[in-house]
Amino acid sequence: MEQRYRWKNKQLRDHVAVLDGTLSPTILLKNATYLNQAFRKWMTANIWIYKDRIVYVGDMLPSCTDQCEIIDCSEGYIVPGYIEPHAHPFKLYNPQTLATYASQHGTTTMINDNMVLALQLDKKKAFSFIREMQKHPVTTYWWCRYDSQSEIHDEEVIFSNSNIKSWLEQDFVVQGGELTGWPKLLDGDDMMLHWMQETKRLNKKIEGHFPGASEKTLAKMMLFGTDCDHEAMTGEEVKRRLMQGYMVSLRHSSIRPDLPRLLDEIHEMDIAAYDRMMLNSDGSSCACYENGVTDKLIKIAIEHGVPVIDAYNMATINIARYYNFEDLHGTIATGRIANLNFLKETDEPTPVSVLAKGQWVKRNGEQIKDSIPELNWAKFGLSPLEMDWSLDSDDMQFSMPFGIQMENSVITKPYSIAIDVSEDELPKDHDECFFMLLDRNGKWRINTIIKGFAKQLDGLASTFSSTGDIILIGKNKNDMQSAFNRMKEIGGGLVIYENGQSVYELPLTLTGTMSDQPIEELISLESNLYHYLKDKGYPFIDPIYSLMFFSATHLPYIRVTQHGIYDVMNKTVLFPTIMR
């Protein structure tokens, strides 16, 4: 039977027995200088830990220590484990590998997007996977999406009223959103409003997604029940959100590395309401995490004038208070989960050692590998992609007069195709390529031209996309088909062909969406992809986000979706998909 409470009665009695001296703590941190957020100062105390819980913080020492690891903490400093409030754990990496990597940088609690689980798994398997993830030393909580962030087939089934309510009722779900579909809400979508009401009834938060929103729009969304937004890109936009009562999540991600500017402008405007702010990395691509996760954001905050204690609070206690789990996370005090980061200096947030749920996951700079449980991915339906269909010559017909033009890594606009697209290969003296979006089950396709992605790319195939569909891009139809065939052979992933040869492969063996490789390895593979595409004419900063967001209708202006080429501003399909 599923455990309904964090600790059973027997466990709670054991915790008290440690204080009574009839049971030994498992870890004793003596003479620890730690961040006490109640007093907003560094204090010295003895910290008793029993298994996964802090059972005492103060001057006393336990009378029973026969089963206790005793550590003298006279040197160094201890802060609470960091919390990532806005994780998209499917950017090539998966929830387990991201949690493992983040733990090495002191992030011991993550609040994760459920989009891929909702789209790729049935509800029962998704919930089973999340419960299995609870065995990981890093604590994972989840969102409940209200929509697909695209135009997909069977959306009303996947995001049905019963499914949404089932997600919201789970203890591991702490918020609804993010609200990428807010224009539908403003246009009168009462079902979404009902789900928001249910979220609030369950005393859970709602995360916005309001880039460039006006003061009036922000006020309307606050009235509908939104609590926080992470899309402020200037100090003025931070102020606008604070004025309307929002918690403001300051972002620093691979496509929006905004934190230095935000902090500088916040200080210039004298609106440093740190208690109403938190830090997030918004699902950065692997390479962005090479130099840290939340610890990197804390370091940026300190370097840009945030007082040290406030910088740590923005990654710990502020988040815990906001999500109403301060009794478990975000502070070093009696009763909290034993998530602790051991630092050399107060202004060096990358920890030398990390305790997560009372387990050492990092010790003296070294990862404790046996602390991470193995996952049987196939048990949850997360297996290599199997495709029993092939491309033929009819699929490779490009006759549409209308294409998409990239403005940056993620924004695409319409343009009129003026080149001859009837040949099997396009010239390499311009930046236009063939572009296809294919149903992963082979039922439909949409063919067009993309301008601005690359000049000399022969053929790329990718199962990595926001909806799990297949993207083909290239100058050469034969290389595009060869890349597709190789991608099928490896069970999904990213494959590039050049002159009839495979020159790049990144297997995504978990439904074609995620890799089971450690992030350290993915950083290298992703970097190789970026440098290869840059050499072939890719002019932007993040090809992973480009691939993911071609179908994402929360961004302007023209997207390629399961229904066809879609005009976001007018909410219409301009050219429908073709059934195969």
Side-chain angles (χ1 to χ4, degrees):
M1 188 176 77
E2 183 181 352
Q3 184 171 329
R4 298 181 63 185
Y5 305 106
R6 173 76 201 187
W7 292 286
K8 296 179 181 179
N9 286 359
K10 171 63 167 62
Q11 293 172 306
L12 295 175
R13 297 293 183 190
D14 286 345
H15 300 163
V16 173
V18 174
L19 281 174
D20 287 339
T22 59
L23 195 62
S24 170
T26 50
I27 297 176
L28 171 62
L29 306 176
K30 292 179 62 176
N31 306 313
T33 301
Y34 75 105
L35 178 57
N36 184 304
Q37 284 137 321
F39 294 102
R40 293 184 59 85
K41 62 195 295 187
W42 300 93
M43 300 179 70
T44 301
N46 301 311
I47 302 171
W48 308 9
I49 296 169
Y50 182 74
K51 295 185 177 179
D52 65 344
R53 197 180 195 193
I54 299 171
V55 297
Y56 174 78
V57 179
D59 294 332
M60 292 192 304
L61 288 169
S63 57
C64 177
T65 58
D66 57 334
Q67 301 293 321
C68 184
E69 177 185 7
I70 301 174
I71 303 164
D72 186 345
C73 299
S74 300
E75 296 183 3
Y77 303 86
I78 304 177
V79 296
Y82 310 139
I83 305 170
E84 168 53 77
H86 196 97
H88 297 274
F90 310 107
K91 299 295 188 296
L92 303 183
Y93 44 74
N94 64 66
Q96 187 197 46
T97 51
L98 178 61
T100 300
Y101 183 82
S103 72
Q104 301 306 294
H105 293 270
T107 300
T108 55
T109 304
M110 307 198 76
I111 301 172
N112 291 330
D113 183 5
N114 75 321
M115 177 70 85
V116 169
L117 299 185
L119 290 177
Q120 302 297 335
L121 302 181
D122 63 58
K123 185 170 58 181
K124 183 177 179 180
K125 287 184 177 177
F127 293 168
S128 294
F129 170 74
I130 289 173
R131 292 188 184 99
E132 189 72 15
M133 276 292 298
Q134 291 173 356
K135 297 176 182 177
H136 197 287
V138 169
T139 303
T140 50
Y141 297 103
W142 295 81
W143 318 351
C144 172
R145 289 275 194 165
Y146 301 141
D147 67 274
S148 68
Q149 200 173 279
S150 185
E151 295 293 310
I152 66 170
H153 299 297
D154 299 324
E155 173 143 356
E156 69 282 357
V157 175
I158 298 170
F159 295 92
S160 67
N161 187 44
S162 62
N163 278 352
I164 296 298
K165 287 189 174 181
S166 292
W167 275 93
L168 286 174
E169 288 166 359
Q170 301 301 312
D171 290 341
F172 48 70
V173 170
V174 296
Q175 74 176 18
E178 57 184 297
L179 281 179
T180 53
W182 61 271
K184 296 178 182 178
L185 178 66
L186 290 180
D187 287 344
D189 187 335
D190 276 344
M191 183 55 75
M192 185 177 291
L193 185 55
H194 170 67
W195 294 333
M196 294 173 69
Q197 292 273 56
E198 281 294 290
T199 306
K200 304 299 282 190
R201 182 182 67 83
L202 293 165
N203 199 30
K204 298 181 180 184
K205 300 297 185 180
I206 296 174
E207 175 71 16
H209 178 96
F210 311 137
S214 68
E215 185 177 39
K216 180 183 280 189
T217 296
L218 290 170
K220 288 179 180 179
M221 298 311 299
M222 176 59 68
L223 292 174
F224 282 137
T226 314
D227 298 290
C228 179
D229 184 67
H230 61 282
E231 287 289 337
M233 291 176 268
T234 66
E236 180 58 40
E237 291 185 343
V238 171
K239 180 180 179 181
R240 199 178 298 163
R241 284 155 176 76
L242 291 171
M243 287 288 292
Q244 297 306 317
Y246 284 83
M247 187 76 174
V248 181
S249 193
L250 303 178
R251 174 176 55 191
H252 192 78
S253 71
S254 51
I255 57 171
R256 295 295 326 181
D258 293 336
L259 188 56
R261 174 188 177 181
L262 288 172
L263 293 171
D264 290 346
E265 293 185 4
I266 285 166
H267 294 145
E268 289 170 7
M269 298 174 68
D270 194 24
I271 56 168
Y274 299 121
D275 289 349
R276 298 293 300 165
M277 298 176 185
M278 54 190 180
L279 306 174
N280 83 86
S281 62
D282 198 9
S284 293
S285 54
C286 300
C288 188
Y289 287 137
E290 185 171 10
N291 296 316
V293 187
T294 307
D295 56 325
K296 180 173 73 173
L297 309 191
I298 298 169
K299 185 68 173 176
I300 291 171
I302 293 170
E303 291 174 346
H304 284 262
V306 177
V308 169
I309 290 176
D310 286 304
Y312 285 110
N313 286 356
M314 290 162 74
T316 55
I317 190 64
N318 292 5
I319 304 170
R321 286 174 177 156
Y322 170 75
Y323 282 108
N324 299 318
F325 52 48
E326 184 190 355
D327 59 320
L328 297 176
H329 303 287
T331 187
I332 298 173
T334 299
R336 276 57 175 185
I337 297 172
N339 296 330
L340 303 173
N341 290 333
F342 297 74
L343 315 179
K344 283 186 177 179
E345 301 293 343
T346 58
D347 60 353
E348 292 294 337
T350 301
V352 293
S353 300
V354 179
L355 278 172
K357 295 179 184 171
Q359 299 179 58
W360 293 107
V361 294
K362 183 179 184 181
R363 193 81 183 265
N364 298 322
E366 298 293 327
Q367 181 177 354
I368 309 300
K369 295 186 181 296
D370 60 7
S371 65
I372 308 302
E374 293 289 329
L375 268 178
N376 179 0
W377 296 103
K379 174 182 175 182
F380 308 105
L382 296 167
S383 303
L385 189 61
E386 295 183 4
M387 299 166 56
D388 59 359
W389 56 277
S390 301
L391 292 178
D392 57 34
S393 57
D394 289 340
D395 292 316
M396 306 304 291
Q397 302 301 312
F398 293 79
S399 57
M400 188 181 294
F402 180 95
I404 57 174
Q405 178 172 342
M406 298 187 70
E407 295 291 306
N408 59 32
S409 294
V410 298
I411 303 298
T412 50
K413 290 186 174 181
Y415 90 106
S416 297
I417 299 170
I419 61 171
D420 180 7
V421 297
S422 62
E423 301 296 326
D424 288 343
E425 186 171 7
L426 296 176
K428 295 182 178 178
D429 58 354
H430 58 69
D431 63 352
E432 288 157 284
C433 295
F434 297 117
F435 181 100
M436 294 178 65
L437 185 73
L438 290 146
D439 174 39
R440 64 163 50 200
N441 297 311
K443 295 180 179 179
W444 52 261
R445 62 176 171 84
I446 185 82
N447 294 31
T448 186
I449 299 295
I450 185 168
K451 180 175 175 60
F453 187 84
K455 286 187 175 182
Q456 299 177 327
L457 178 67
D458 286 347
L460 176 149
S462 172
T463 53
F464 179 79
S465 64
S466 63
T467 55
D469 297 309
I470 297 163
I471 295 168
L472 299 183
I473 304 175
K475 296 277 189 176
N476 186 296
K477 293 180 181 178
N478 290 330
D479 281 326
M480 291 167 68
Q481 283 187 274
S482 296
F484 172 84
N485 291 334
R486 178 58 182 160
M487 176 269 295
K488 280 176 57 178
E489 290 177 7
I490 64 174
L494 285 124
V495 175
I496 298 175
Y497 261 66
E498 184 176 334
N499 296 322
Q501 300 293 321
S502 174
V503 296
Y504 179 87
E505 294 183 5
L506 198 169
L508 299 176
T509 56
L510 307 180
T511 73
T513 306
M514 301 171 283
S515 171
D516 60 0
Q517 295 173 270
I519 287 185
E520 291 87 347
E521 296 177 15
L522 290 176
I523 288 171
S524 176
L525 287 167
E526 186 185 278
S527 178
N528 292 342
L529 174 67
Y530 171 73
H531 289 296
Y532 180 88
L533 290 176
K534 185 176 181 181
D535 186 57
K536 298 300 178 183
Y538 178 82
F540 306 117
I541 62 174
D542 198 328
I544 295 301
Y545 262 94
S546 296
L547 293 169
M548 187 180 70
F549 277 164
F550 281 130
S551 298
T553 54
H554 69 295
L555 295 167
Y557 294 88
I558 299 296
R559 319 312 290 180
V560 188
T561 74
Q562 293 183 3
H563 289 294
I565 295 183
Y566 185 77
D567 182 337
V568 175
M569 309 306 287
N570 294 309
K571 303 179 180 61
T572 56
V573 175
L574 302 176
F575 297 92
T577 52
I578 298 170
M579 302 308 292
R580 299 180 70 249

